[in-house]
Amino acid sequence: MGEEQGTSEEFVQPKKKALKRKMDVDESVDTTGELAGDEETLAVLKPAFPPLKKEKLSDGTEIRKVPVPSHRYSPLKENWMKIFEPIVEHLRLQVRFNLKTRNVEIRTCKDTTDIQNLQKAADFVRAFILGFEVEDALALVRLDDLFIDSFEIQDVKMLKGDHLARAIGRVAGKGGRTKYTVENVTKTRIVLADSKIHVLGSYQNIAIARRAICNLILGSPPSKVYGTLRTVAARSAERF
């Protein structure tokens, strides 16, 4: 009986092991065979992302849409002709305000000479929607090296309640004096929209103005900020 049990155990265990080994070998062979032999199929299966296309209409014209918040409806209505004329007459584009989607839509037409004018017009309208004057925003159309930088006071320092209100007051100054001084020294334009700050200017001037605004938010007195502004502005003027 003992011999029969031993023989049965000897026969059962190797069979199970052999089956497992065979399965392992088969899986490894299959996977290696797929990897080695079907490189072309793997290359086809790889995702091929085409380059991003600009938003186009059915007839091939390109379009840009600039959303308009509700508090900018009346300024847009009052200054519509000032916005309309440079886009249509100088940039040779078509523009309209869609009442359903509440977007300013700008698109190319057969008279458009340069496709870059579409992005210039979109930047011009967006700058006005952010709160800049039409004359200041129009500089984005005339000059190539102008940009808009936007940030919030909470990005510089987490402030709430009265502390946030005082920080906004430090940036603006009495009657807007501090804001105008920073604008004139750095040759930029600044918009204070609640806790959001938008700066329009060249890259270097935006950096100088942003540093001054950040110092004001962090609590530096305006007199100290004026002094550092003058030295930095004089240094940058010497470079050019």
Side-chain angles (χ1 to χ4, degrees):
M1 293 293 287
E3 291 179 357
E4 290 178 359
Q5 288 179 356
T7 53
S8 63
E9 288 178 358
E10 288 176 1
F11 282 112
V12 171
Q13 289 177 355
K15 282 181 181 178
K16 288 181 180 178
K17 288 181 180 177
L19 287 170
K20 286 181 180 178
R21 284 173 185 168
K22 282 182 181 178
M23 288 172 68
D24 294 336
V25 170
D26 292 338
E27 287 175 0
S28 63
V29 169
D30 291 338
T31 52
T32 53
E34 286 179 2
L35 290 171
D38 299 334
E39 290 181 357
E40 294 181 358
T41 55
L42 282 172
V44 173
L45 291 173
K46 284 181 180 178
F49 297 108
L52 292 173
K53 294 181 180 179
K54 296 177 181 176
E55 190 176 3
K56 291 187 177 182
L57 297 176
S58 58
D59 57 351
T61 58
E62 297 184 12
I63 188 170
R64 294 286 188 279
K65 297 178 182 178
V66 182
V68 182
S70 57
H71 69 279
R72 296 297 292 173
Y73 284 166
S74 55
L76 182 69
K77 187 176 180 181
E78 292 171 2
N79 297 280
W80 179 250
M81 288 309 297
K82 294 180 181 178
I83 297 170
F84 178 85
E85 288 177 1
I87 292 175
V88 174
E89 295 180 3
H90 298 288
L91 300 179
R92 305 292 180 184
L93 299 168
Q94 294 178 346
V95 61
R96 71 171 183 179
F97 179 64
N98 193 330
L99 291 171
K100 290 183 179 179
T101 60
R102 297 179 177 180
N103 290 333
V104 175
E105 298 178 355
I106 308 164
R107 70 175 186 179
T108 58
C109 60
K110 61 181 180 180
D111 297 329
T112 305
T113 55
D114 190 359
I115 197 66
Q116 292 181 353
N117 291 345
L118 185 64
Q119 189 60 45
K120 286 184 177 180
D123 292 339
F124 166 52
V125 175
R126 179 172 168 270
F128 176 77
I129 297 303
L130 288 176
F132 293 98
E133 296 291 334
V134 178
E135 292 76 14
D136 297 332
L138 196 58
L140 288 166
V141 177
R142 296 174 178 169
L143 303 173
D144 293 331
D145 59 342
L146 292 183
F147 308 96
I148 297 176
D149 186 21
S150 301
F151 62 96
E152 293 192 25
I153 291 177
Q154 283 83 358
D155 297 337
V156 182
K157 189 177 183 181
M158 289 301 296
L159 298 172
K160 294 179 181 178
D162 293 339
H163 299 288
L164 178 62
R166 281 193 290 271
I168 296 170
R170 280 197 301 274
V171 175
K174 186 179 179 180
R177 188 182 304 168
T178 305
K179 182 175 82 78
Y180 293 139
T181 304
V182 175
E183 285 181 345
N184 294 331
V185 173
T186 60
K187 297 178 182 177
T188 57
R189 289 292 177 267
I190 299 170
V191 168
L192 297 176
D194 196 16
S195 63
K196 292 183 180 179
I197 299 172
H198 310 288
V199 186
L200 167 67
S202 64
Y203 181 81
Q204 185 180 8
N205 293 342
I206 286 175
I208 298 170
R210 188 174 55 204
R211 194 175 296 113
I213 292 169
C214 290
N215 289 336
L216 289 167
I217 293 169
L218 292 172
S220 297
S223 58
K224 185 177 180 181
V225 174
Y226 294 160
T228 54
L229 263 180
R230 289 192 182 91
T231 55
V232 172
R235 198 177 303 153
S236 63
E238 289 174 359
R239 290 178 184 174
F240 300 99

